[in-house]
Amino acid sequence: MIAIQYLGGKSRISKQISEVIIDEISRRKEPNSSLDCVSNRERESNGCLISLFCGSRAVESELAPHFKSVICNDNHKYLVALWQALQDGYELPEVISEEIYKSIRDNKDDNPALTGFVGFGCSFGGKFFGGYARNKMGTNYAAQSKRSILKDFANLQDAVFTCNDYKDVVIPAGSVVYADPPYGNTTGYTSGKFNTEEFWEYMRKISKDNMVLISELNAPDDFKCIWERPFTRTLDRNKNNQFKVVEKLFIHNE
């Protein structure tokens, strides 16, 4: 496991996604590029990567070494609290009993960083407090999640982590923006059901001055798919309760 367990996380395909993004950036910056949608601002990128929905930040960790500055945003306050605490040297626990798990679940604001770690890293399938993770092999999910988090967090030690609505993130013109929103028409956003139509309209707006790449299953016709891969997800403890999707990466085709 490359990153913390996280519902909808991209840990298993983060390297592939990051390689496609870096290749696309390089292609668009070629002096003789014939791409009509390449702006001067894109060619003169300020070296800033902005992630609007960083989540488990698996893709961001892969991309970070290629940029001068990184801003990772998510509107889940406990997850952001975890990443900010790690930057300050917070020590993650290696053992979380079911009793402690339930206590943290019922007192989330006592230690937001610990809540973020336990809520995702010690829950089945990475669903926030979706049930204490266990299996027949007796896997220590807390220790496993700790190792996974620390393994690649070094790449993001100097990143700026913010907790805002994605539309409130300040985006300097010429940035590379990565967006991995909740699947369309799902309740994957803290404030309630995610407004997909509003999201795509905002992607069109910021694509005018930035290179914007979006991870999603489907997109409107004016967005071009530049990469895709079949993927299997598990909903709960029932291993048979799975569904297959085709993860895709889109860019606005102006």
Side-chain angles (χ1 to χ4, degrees):
M1 187 168 62
I2 299 174
I4 188 174
Q5 283 268 20
Y6 185 79
L7 185 64
K10 299 289 190 294
S11 61
R12 285 181 285 172
I13 53 177
S14 60
K15 186 173 180 61
Q16 295 177 52
I17 293 175
S18 64
E19 288 175 349
V20 173
I21 291 175
I22 294 303
D23 287 346
E24 185 69 13
I25 292 171
S26 299
R27 188 168 72 93
R28 287 170 169 255
K29 286 187 177 181
E30 288 295 327
N32 298 321
S33 174
S34 60
L35 293 173
D36 293 335
C37 56
V38 176
S39 67
N40 288 331
R41 280 175 171 168
E42 284 182 321
R43 287 202 179 98
E44 299 170 3
S45 172
N46 59 9
C48 182
L49 169 67
I50 297 179
S51 174
L52 299 180
F53 310 84
C54 70
S56 64
R57 48 94 186 122
V59 173
E60 293 78 2
S61 180
E62 295 282 354
L63 288 172
H66 299 276
F67 293 87
K68 294 178 182 178
S69 61
V70 179
I71 298 173
C72 291
N73 178 75
D74 202 280
N75 85 326
H76 199 294
K77 68 176 185 178
Y78 299 111
L79 193 61
V80 173
L82 170 60
W83 305 142
Q84 291 174 335
L86 286 176
Q87 288 180 308
D88 294 334
Y90 183 72
E91 184 68 25
L92 296 173
E94 294 189 356
V95 177
I96 295 292
S97 67
E98 186 170 8
E99 182 180 1
I100 293 176
Y101 176 91
K102 292 178 179 178
S103 176
I104 294 171
R105 179 197 62 195
D106 296 338
N107 301 277
K108 294 183 179 67
D109 291 325
D110 286 357
N111 186 335
L114 183 60
T115 297
F117 173 70
V118 174
F120 289 109
C122 300
S123 295
F124 181 82
K127 182 178 181 180
F128 190 59
F129 285 108
Y132 183 67
R134 58 163 62 87
N135 60 24
K136 294 179 180 179
M137 297 179 291
T139 298
N140 183 337
Y141 284 94
Q144 186 182 68
S145 293
K146 177 180 179 178
R147 289 193 301 270
S148 300
I149 289 172
L150 297 181
K151 181 178 179 181
D152 60 359
F153 194 77
N155 287 347
L156 295 169
Q157 187 61 48
D158 296 324
V160 175
F161 287 94
T162 61
C163 184
N164 296 304
D165 182 90
Y166 71 93
K167 298 186 297 297
D168 294 331
V169 178
V170 176
I171 304 175
S175 296
V176 173
V177 181
Y178 175 63
D180 180 19
Y183 289 153
N185 299 316
T186 65
T187 54
Y189 210 51
T190 300
S191 57
K193 189 173 182 178
F194 188 68
N195 189 324
T196 303
E197 184 176 342
E198 184 178 71
F199 166 77
W200 287 111
E201 189 57 40
Y202 187 67
M203 293 301 99
R204 294 183 182 97
K205 177 181 177 181
I206 62 176
S207 290
K208 295 177 182 178
D209 293 320
N210 309 282
M211 186 181 298
V212 183
L213 301 111
I214 305 108
S215 284
E216 245 291 10
L217 305 182
N218 299 288
D221 292 340
D222 55 329
F223 287 83
K224 177 177 66 174
C225 178
I226 61 174
W227 173 88
E228 62 180 66
R229 178 188 163 178
F231 207 60
T232 301
R233 294 201 179 279
T234 303
L235 293 175
D236 52 36
R237 288 189 176 88
N238 180 2
K239 294 294 185 180
N240 295 320
N241 195 2
Q242 297 180 331
F243 64 103
K244 292 184 178 181
V245 298
V246 178
E247 293 279 1
K248 299 177 182 178
L249 190 65
F250 294 94
I251 194 165
H252 192 225
N253 190 18
E254 294 184 30

